[in-house]
Structure formats: C-alpha cells, structure tokens
Amino acid sequence: MLTRIDHIGIACFDLDKTVEFYRATYGFEVYHSEVNEEQGVREAMLKVNGTSDGGATYLQLLEPTREDSAVGKWLAKNGEGVHHIAFGTADVDTDANDIKAKGVRVLYEEPRRGSMDSRITFLHPKDCHGVLTELVTAAPKDSAEH
C-alpha cells in the first residue's frame, strides 16, 4: 500500500545552483547526495519533512552526468522542471505487481537500487495521465548513508 509522497524529482542543468536556490529561498538543506552511474545522474535529496511512518518527504534534484541518460534526454526535450513523483511503499515488489495487474506498465522487471539504497521502479507516464511515477521502498534505517 502506498503510504506517502516520498519525493518529487526535479531535473536541472546545474545541481549546485539549483541546490543553492532551494536553500536560499526555502531553507531546505541537502540531506543526502550521490552519483548514480546506472541512471546517469548526480543528485541531491533535500528533506522537506519527516512522516509518521518513519519515512520522509524530499525534493530530489537531478543533474544528468551524460546526455544519453533518461534525465539528460528529458532535459533536452523539456528543460528544467518536475520530472517525476515518487510514492513510498513498504513493499515495492507487491505494489508494482498489484498496479501492473490493473493494466499499468511497470518499467523495470525487477526493482533497482535508488537513492540512499532504496528499491525503486517506475510506472509508464502514458498509463498515469502523463506523470512519470516512481514507487520507492526506503532502505532499512541502519543501511542508508548520508
């Protein structure tokens, strides 16, 4: 069962400038940053708030590390802005299978590693009213590095 909005993914051309905007404008600080070679992105997770289920809500800022990455292609076509919305779930496998059974295309056969050692998959935007949708199961508390 989906429990919360985990994060909103925002594609940007310059991660450092975008982080500074969110810091100066809203007071959000970087909670975690990493480079995900598989997805071809450099990212920063800015924590917005905690939630009652022990999770949190973030803004995920994404800068492509290569033009042929999904975010790189998206930026070239659309420019900066909201790239996807992610919903938190305790069990990404079960929820992805349940949603797939309802006729929504799931983009990964098996969930992959996401930010902060989470497990993720995506739902096809054409099946979700034009919104690229991610499902996220957070890593156990003791395994996530900041």
Side-chain angles (χ1 to χ4, degrees):
M1 175 168 84
L2 305 181
T3 57
R4 61 190 157 79
I5 294 175
D6 184 85
H7 66 270
I8 307 289
I10 300 172
C12 61
F13 291 111
D14 185 325
L15 184 66
D16 297 327
K17 279 177 87 171
T18 307
V19 164
E20 185 51 37
F21 168 81
Y22 281 96
R23 179 181 291 127
T25 306
Y26 305 114
F28 297 150
E29 295 294 334
V30 174
Y31 179 78
H32 174 85
S33 63
E34 68 180 82
V35 174
N36 185 318
E37 296 294 344
E38 179 185 3
Q39 294 181 22
V41 294
R42 187 168 77 104
E43 64 178 78
M45 298 292 275
L46 284 61
K47 188 173 182 178
V48 177
N49 68 322
T51 61
S52 62
D53 67 356
T57 301
Y58 303 92
L59 289 180
Q60 179 186 45
L61 306 180
L62 300 159
E63 175 189 54
T65 58
R66 56 181 198 268
E67 291 178 13
D68 69 340
S69 69
V71 172
K73 292 176 186 176
W74 190 89
L75 266 172
K77 181 179 177 183
N78 300 293
E80 293 184 308
V82 174
H83 179 262
H84 66 274
I85 186 168
F87 294 107
T89 172
D91 186 348
V92 69
D93 298 276
T94 298
D95 283 336
N97 287 331
D98 289 349
I99 291 169
K100 185 177 184 177
K102 295 174 183 173
V104 175
R105 287 173 282 181
V106 177
L107 298 182
Y108 301 155
E109 285 295 318
E110 295 291 326
R112 297 181 182 176
R113 181 196 169 278
S115 298
M116 301 183 290
D117 289 326
S118 62
R119 296 187 70 241
I120 65 166
T121 195
F122 285 91
L123 309 177
H124 200 293
K126 289 185 178 177
D127 297 342
C128 299
H129 298 272
V131 178
L132 179 61
T133 304
E134 182 179 5
L135 304 179
V136 178
T137 297
K141 292 285 185 216
D142 59 349
S143 69
E145 294 180 19
H146 304 302

